[in-house]
Amino acid sequence: MSSRSKILMYDTTLRDGTQGEGVSFSAQDKILLAQKIDAFGIDYIEGGWPGSNPRDMEFFTLMKDVSLKHARLAAFGSTRRAQLHVEDDPQVNQLVDAGTPVVTIFGKSWPLHVTEVIKTSLDQNLLMIKETVAFLKAEGKEIIYDAEHFFDGYKADHKYALATLRAAQEGGADYLVLCDTNGGTQLKEFGDIVQLVLKNHPDVPIGVHCHNDCGLGVALSLLGAEHGAGMIQGTINGYGERVGNANLTTIIANLHLKMNYPLNCADHLANLRDLSLEADKLANITPNKKEPFVGESAFAHKGGVHANAAKKVARSYEHMQPHLVGNRQRILMSDMSGSSSVAMKAKELGIH
Ligand SMILES: [Zn+2]
């Protein structure tokens, strides 16, 4: 099949996704969705931040009795507080108590955030990263290090941004994930920075975590894959803060069907539309008809000329076979419909 290396899918619908306006899951909803995401074959599921709210604590407690078939469950949290020893930090200890095989730790990459937001020194921040990663690693956890604001940090002070990654690597991080937290990074600079990091850290797999503020969340993620990122983080249907995270639903279809990357979820691609609809149902969100690949309009033909051609040769107006992602061709009736559209619609409805 393909000589490309496998890319691991990391879903943060249950954590970053819940920060989206209008998205609300109960602990039970989160369990149901985690099971759907697992059944689809996603590799990692970030379940929440146990230190941030009681619902996420409840979720991790309940998940101790739920076994996942394939996915590894991750608890998300931050580096220790500046004034505390790592072993005395309650937020860090809650990550241990969550009982997950994976912990994802985010730390600061951007001096602005270190000195102006968490108000500590640049050196202390490096210690916070290294010690938190090392402490959780010693607890037997797989550690994914999310470098928050990495691209903004890199542009402000590239030496410091790289030093934060080194601190995570020295602490024993299993993955270094470059986050475009504010979603403002452009394609060329993103590609250049990912390549540079890969050159600097040849021994640790790199991941990317993008947001869609410039409408580039999916494009940046795919570019990350092309430059060698081995993990992509995103959310089902692109839920997330502001205009959302990179849409994992779209990323998965592109990576496998268009770019030939092997994925562990590839065998379940025909369930992609179902997964998208299930997530909307649990989140109480009206499905987006125009969502690429899985939306109701993704393979809908309205113009008479298009419908006529699609009837003769589907691929004349369809970039792929809809059933590969669990979708279907639809012929829409309107004042633009010709006789072909009417005939196709009649066939679709079983009227001959
Ligand atoms: Zn994010």
Side-chain angles (χ1 to χ4, degrees), residues 12 15-16 19 76 146 179-182 209-211 233 241-242 245:
T12 178
R15 203 276 306 168
D16 228 356
Q19 291 178 211
F76 176 89
D146 272 13
C179 303
D180 185 26
T181 310
N182 291 1
H209 171 119
C210 302
H211 281 258
Q233 299 192 349
E241 216 157 353
R242 305 183 305 275
N245 283 56

Side-chain angles (χ1 to χ4, degrees), residues 13-31 33 53 55-56 239-240 278-286:
T13 307
L14 302 177
R15 203 276 306 168
D16 228 356
T18 61
Q19 291 178 211
E21 191 172 358
V23 176
S24 165
F25 297 118
S26 66
Q28 285 298 339
D29 290 339
K30 289 179 74 153
I31 291 169
L33 190 50
N53 64 75
R55 183 203 50 203
D56 284 3
Y239 304 153
E278 280 292 338
D280 282 337
K281 197 163 91 185
L282 289 166
N284 248 327
I285 282 181
T286 308

Side-chain angles (χ1 to χ4, degrees), residues 57-336:
M57 295 273 266
E58 187 193 351
F59 169 79
F60 286 111
T61 304
L62 293 170
M63 281 303 285
K64 287 178 182 169
D65 296 323
V66 176
S67 57
L68 298 175
K69 290 191 196 85
H70 168 75
R72 285 169 70 73
L73 187 64
F76 176 89
S78 76
T79 52
R80 69 161 170 83
R81 270 184 259 164
Q83 63 277 25
L84 292 178
H85 289 296
V86 66
E87 62 274 18
D88 299 330
D89 188 315
Q91 186 262 156
V92 175
N93 280 302
Q94 280 166 335
L95 290 168
V96 178
D97 297 342
T100 55
V102 183
V103 171
T104 300
I105 282 293
F106 81 93
K108 300 291 186 188
S109 325
W110 188 2
L112 171 84
H113 268 260
V114 178
T115 56
E116 304 297 316
V117 179
I118 61 169
K119 295 193 182 295
T120 190
S121 70
L122 296 177
D123 286 344
Q124 179 64 241
N125 180 53
L126 295 178
L127 279 176
M128 286 155 63
I129 295 169
K130 185 173 164 178
E131 288 175 13
T132 311
V133 170
F135 176 78
L136 291 162
K137 189 74 196 160
E139 292 287 331
K141 311 286 186 183
E142 178 181 0
I143 306 294
I144 296 173
Y145 177 70
D146 272 13
E148 193 193 33
H149 293 113
F150 185 77
F151 296 89
D152 296 305
Y154 187 93
K155 285 187 277 181
D157 182 344
H158 69 275
K159 281 194 185 133
Y160 187 72
L162 290 171
T164 65
L165 293 183
R166 247 189 334 271
Q169 185 172 357
E170 284 165 13
D174 297 286
Y175 276 91
L176 301 174
V177 178
L178 315 178
C179 303
D180 185 26
T181 310
N182 291 1
T185 305
Q186 295 296 298
L187 294 165
K188 169 92 171 66
E189 58 188 3
F190 183 92
D192 290 348
I193 293 172
V194 169
Q195 274 180 298
L196 234 138
V197 170
L198 278 159
K199 219 165 74 187
N200 269 276
H201 295 271
D203 308 328
V204 191
I206 300 294
V208 292
H209 171 119
C210 302
H211 281 258
N212 202 34
D213 297 76
C214 294
L216 297 175
V218 169
L220 291 169
S221 305
L222 300 179
L223 190 62
E226 289 283 59
H227 283 305
M231 171 189 283
I232 294 186
Q233 299 192 349
T235 61
I236 305 298
N237 299 331
Y239 304 153
E241 216 157 353
R242 305 183 305 275
V243 301
N245 283 56
N247 187 337
L248 209 55
T249 322
T250 314
I251 290 169
I252 287 169
N254 275 299
L255 277 179
H256 189 65
L257 297 172
K258 302 288 178 178
M259 298 162 78
N260 290 321
Y261 279 101
L263 306 176
N264 285 325
C265 58
D267 289 346
H268 302 283
L269 264 188
N271 298 327
L272 191 63
R273 178 166 153 81
D274 277 352
L275 177 65
S276 162
L277 292 175
E278 280 292 338
D280 282 337
K281 197 163 91 185
L282 289 166
N284 248 327
I285 282 181
T286 308
N288 174 12
K289 284 186 171 194
K290 297 200 180 304
E291 183 158 340
F293 298 97
V294 296
E296 204 182 339
S297 303
F299 301 95
H301 305 285
K302 187 169 171 188
V305 173
H306 287 207
N308 182 296
K311 181 186 173 189
K312 291 177 190 147
V313 188
R315 68 188 172 92
S316 63
Y317 280 99
E318 288 174 3
H319 68 98
M320 57 170 275
Q321 294 178 290
H323 74 268
L324 295 175
V325 288
N327 212 339
R328 65 186 180 99
Q329 185 187 72
R330 289 169 61 234
I331 303 298
L332 307 179
M333 290 292 109
S334 74
D335 57 355
M336 286 179 223

